[in-house]
Amino acid sequence: MIIDGKKEAALIRDKIKKEIASLKIDRNKVPGLSVILIGDFAPSLIYVKNKEKNSKEVGINSEIIRYSDNITEKEILSKIEELNKNENVSGILVQLPLPKQINKEKIINAIHPKKDVDGFHPINVGNLSSGYKAIVPCTPLGCLLLIKKIEKSLSGKHAVIIGRSNLNGKPMAQLLLKENCTVTVVHSKTKDLKLECQKADILVAAVGVANLVKSDWVKKDSIIIDVGINKLGDRLVGDVDFESVKDKAKAITPVPGGVGPMTIACLLKNTLECFKAQ
Ligand code: GUN
């Protein structure tokens, strides 16, 4: 089975759109999302435009704040401070990666945890890993929603996550632990990557290596979630060799059209949640 992330994302957007429409009638207020984009890294520009377009479609008041590559850290911090205080801004997102002169940690720490729609602030990271209520990073949240569409109970399943990034691998591990999975996180220093992946009932690949996961890496009838978006010539491919794996897996996400649309749908969901919590 090929998991249709586009369809799932459209269902989420529909629900959000309806909720925002009734908020507008009841309270004459809608959520606001401010996205800070620094520089002109082409993929970031595409992602950010997509986030804005999707936000507007569901009724979120969205703005992109753009800076050139040579902006100072101080200026970004002062903009974040202003957005933190602005009652019309429910969510703040600083698109990564950042130019070298800007310290990512300082920027993430400056965003008010209640407006941290990415779920990157240490308060949200800590709450998630403690099993408390937290804003959850959009991509792993989207992955979990897709996995749960296939399998209602994940208890006791062996989940293997390839990649240990703060954006994907680590929060994904926390979410799957919360679902009572046995979780293994593998990475570039893992001794036998293939052997670990073969044990997975649920395999999440978030490593950024085109077509890394081959058919003989996966268990028959497993669930395969591909977070990778890699350029191969003029094609976009995932971290999983889709053609060779798709007939062995029980369910698999395609690239594009799998996790990508869910990431943006979950950003809208997080923005609405932030608005309500404020
Ligand atoms: N760059 C790539 N993915 C992301 C994301 O989910 N959030 C932010 N802020 N930057 C990114």
Side-chain angles (χ1 to χ4, degrees):
M1 177 197 176
I2 294 165
I3 302 170
D4 190 345
K6 266 196 205 163
K7 188 176 129 202
E8 285 311 318
L11 292 174
I12 295 172
R13 284 200 306 272
D14 244 31
K15 242 177 103 183
I16 293 172
K17 191 172 178 174
K18 286 192 182 115
E19 195 170 341
I20 291 178
S22 57
L23 279 170
K24 195 167 180 182
I25 293 168
D26 296 344
R27 294 212 243 153
N28 199 26
K29 264 188 160 185
V30 296
L33 174 64
S34 294
V35 178
I36 296 179
L37 173 63
I38 308 167
D40 47 17
F41 181 53
S44 289
L45 202 59
I46 296 169
Y47 292 146
V48 162
K49 288 225 163 111
N50 229 338
K51 287 171 185 176
E52 189 197 28
K53 178 173 162 275
N54 277 265
S55 300
K56 291 203 161 138
E57 273 169 15
V58 297
I60 291 173
N61 213 342
S62 160
E63 63 167 349
I64 301 177
I65 304 164
R66 283 196 73 172
Y67 293 102
S68 65
D69 251 336
N70 55 11
I71 189 82
T72 63
E73 193 176 275
K74 203 167 154 223
E75 280 174 272
I76 302 296
L77 289 171
S78 109
K79 177 47 100 178
I80 292 173
E81 199 45 50
E82 178 195 318
L83 296 171
N84 279 341
K85 288 184 190 141
N86 185 340
E87 272 187 21
N88 296 319
V89 175
S90 332
I92 304 167
L93 182 152
V94 180
Q95 186 67 23
L96 304 175
L98 297 174
K100 282 190 275 312
Q101 78 276 15
I102 297 177
N103 182 321
K104 184 172 77 177
E105 190 183 339
K106 264 196 197 164
I107 297 295
I108 289 173
N109 274 289
I111 297 170
H112 194 290
K114 286 199 161 175
K115 295 194 176 189
D116 169 35
V117 281
D118 263 324
F120 293 165
H121 191 286
I123 295 255
N124 283 311
V125 175
N127 280 339
L128 176 64
S129 62
S130 303
Y132 304 148
K133 189 173 163 48
I135 301 169
V136 177
C138 308
T139 300
L141 179 58
C143 293
L144 181 69
L145 295 177
L146 290 180
I147 296 166
K148 292 201 79 170
K149 275 273 151 185
I150 307 299
E151 204 84 63
K152 286 267 167 312
S153 169
L154 307 181
S155 183
K157 304 268 181 213
H158 192 158
V160 176
I161 299 157
I162 315 177
R164 54 175 155 175
S165 71
N166 290 342
L167 267 71
N168 295 308
K170 284 186 211 157
M172 190 76 247
Q174 296 298 347
L175 285 173
L176 290 169
L177 274 175
K178 232 171 148 177
E179 295 291 329
N180 297 316
C181 288
T182 301
V183 178
T184 306
V185 181
V186 298
H187 48 78
S188 55
K189 301 290 185 290
T190 298
K191 288 262 164 54
D192 194 338
L193 216 53
K194 178 172 157 181
L195 182 72
E196 298 301 331
C197 292
Q198 285 169 339
K199 299 174 193 163
D201 301 310
I202 299 163
L203 182 65
V204 181
V207 71
V209 179
N211 294 332
L212 173 76
V213 177
K214 309 284 184 208
S215 162
D216 61 344
W217 286 41
V218 308
K219 192 196 258 190
K220 195 171 176 318
D221 293 330
S222 54
I223 298 173
I224 312 288
I225 305 293
D226 193 348
V227 179
I229 304 175
N230 311 294
K231 250 189 139 177
L232 199 66
D234 53 7
R235 277 192 319 140
L236 279 186
V237 300
D239 294 347
V240 178
D241 184 12
F242 183 82
E243 281 309 314
S244 79
V245 172
K246 74 176 194 307
D247 295 326
K248 198 167 177 189
K250 175 180 180 182
I252 181 169
T253 60
V255 177
V259 173
M262 289 298 282
T263 295
I264 299 192
C266 288
L267 171 66
L268 310 178
K269 193 169 152 54
N270 281 352
T271 306
L272 176 57
E273 291 303 320
C274 285
F275 172 79
K276 291 198 281 188
Q278 284 159 45

